[in-house]
Amino acid sequence: MGRGAAFFDLDKTVIAKSSALAFGRPFYRDGLITRRDVVKSAYAQLMFRLGGTDEQTMARTRDYLATLCKGWQVDQVRQIVAETLHELINPYVYAEAAALIEEHQAAGRDVVLVSASGDEMVRPIGELLGVTDVIATRMAVEDGRYSGEVEFYAAGPSKVDAVGELAAERGYDLADSYAYSDSYSDRPLLECVGHPTAVNPDRALRKLAVENSWPVLEFRHPVPLGRRLRERPAVPVAAAALGVGVGVAIGIAWYGRHRRTRTAAPSA
């Protein structure tokens, strides 16, 4: 028998926001997206989360992602993520998730982040958490720019395919492995391991967890890394419900209006 691993979804499971939408403001600032793109992206993600297991929904989300990113310079995206990671992501890491990741690592299990967000975003977030193994969406690149094609879309059953490949490569025993997610769209991921857990679950996943007697965890304490290190032991894994939405899009739209107003104001 092989050893087990722990597979964590990212958005609303490890961090208290959407990793893709979190970088909307700097992408907008650097001219990669428009305000209309921000709203459409938020809507596309919401639709995916509400019906993400539907093949047509996943295909539409994947195709929209490819079209949106076509022509972007890969190095520019990586630079934006590196420059804004500690501001936009670090304060929103759930202390409960960080503690749970550390518990699995202390038990000798590899921890893997599994996210539909792009590898250029997920991998640096993993490094922030001390996690080196990542399964994420990969975009095709030509001459240093995204070509408009998706090499691998890490969503739904595709997550399970990647987990299976990694398990075969590393010798993981999936029956002795763990998986955590907040979304019903990750039902295939949760069902492929012996120890599935719903974290801050949406309504459909909560119902599924109850039907299958899966553990349900509620994380609600996003705490910056520096503060976690100062205040060990971390917040216990337990707690209360957290309401989530797409308010980030409103914040980005406000930022755009504020920036234009500031630019248009006459100098003293």
Side-chain angles (χ1 to χ4, degrees):
M1 298 294 290
R3 60 195 176 100
F7 302 93
F8 283 79
D9 176 47
L10 182 59
D11 298 351
K12 317 296 173 56
T13 302
V14 173
I15 62 175
K17 57 163 54 182
S18 159
S19 52
L21 291 180
F23 293 102
R25 186 172 69 178
F27 285 171
Y28 175 86
R29 178 196 64 206
D30 284 18
L32 294 179
I33 60 176
T34 65
R35 280 190 298 164
R36 183 183 180 188
D37 291 329
V38 171
V39 175
K40 288 179 66 176
S41 296
Y43 178 77
Q45 184 172 42
L46 177 61
M47 290 300 99
F48 173 77
R49 295 184 68 81
L50 292 177
T53 53
D54 177 80
E55 289 186 7
Q56 289 185 339
T57 301
M58 286 194 292
R60 285 196 300 268
T61 306
R62 179 200 63 212
D63 293 344
Y64 173 74
L65 175 67
T67 301
L68 179 66
C69 299
K70 184 176 181 179
W72 291 7
Q73 291 184 349
V74 178
D75 287 346
Q76 182 183 11
V77 172
R78 288 175 176 162
Q79 181 179 355
I80 291 172
V81 172
E83 290 176 349
T84 59
L85 182 68
H86 285 273
E87 172 192 355
L88 299 178
I89 298 297
N90 183 27
Y92 297 95
V93 176
Y94 285 121
E96 300 95 331
L100 190 55
I101 287 172
E102 290 177 355
E103 288 176 16
H104 281 295
Q105 291 172 329
R109 301 185 191 95
D110 288 347
V111 173
V112 184
L113 291 184
V114 188
S115 174
S117 293
D119 186 89
E120 292 81 3
M121 301 176 189
V122 180
R123 196 164 297 279
I125 294 173
E127 292 173 358
L128 185 71
L129 294 163
V131 175
T132 57
D133 293 315
V134 164
I135 293 171
T137 294
R138 299 189 303 273
M139 310 294 292
V141 177
E142 293 179 1
D143 299 323
R145 296 178 180 270
Y146 296 119
S147 68
E149 301 292 329
V150 179
E151 285 186 353
F152 173 71
Y153 187 41
S158 295
K159 283 188 176 182
V160 178
D161 293 340
V163 165
E165 291 175 6
L166 187 62
E169 176 186 326
R170 301 277 184 85
Y172 297 148
D173 178 9
L174 291 181
D176 194 32
S177 293
Y178 297 73
Y180 301 87
S181 179
D182 71 302
S183 175
Y184 185 81
S185 65
D186 276 333
R187 176 176 182 172
L189 173 66
L190 294 167
E191 290 181 335
C192 83
V193 300
H195 303 283
T197 298
V199 177
N200 299 337
D202 58 29
R203 183 177 300 178
L205 179 58
R206 187 179 295 276
K207 181 175 183 291
L208 181 68
V210 170
E211 291 172 349
N212 289 277
S213 299
W214 294 348
V216 176
L217 298 177
E218 306 286 355
F219 295 169
R220 70 170 191 177
H221 296 96
V223 180
L225 177 61
R227 184 174 161 193
R228 289 200 304 273
L229 293 176
R230 290 195 305 271
E231 299 181 358
R232 288 173 182 260
V235 177
V237 175
L242 174 71
V244 295
V246 292
V248 175
I250 299 174
I252 297 168
W254 173 87
Y255 172 82
R257 291 196 299 271
H258 175 72
R259 187 167 182 264
R260 287 197 309 275
T261 301
R262 185 176 57 189
T263 301
S267 57

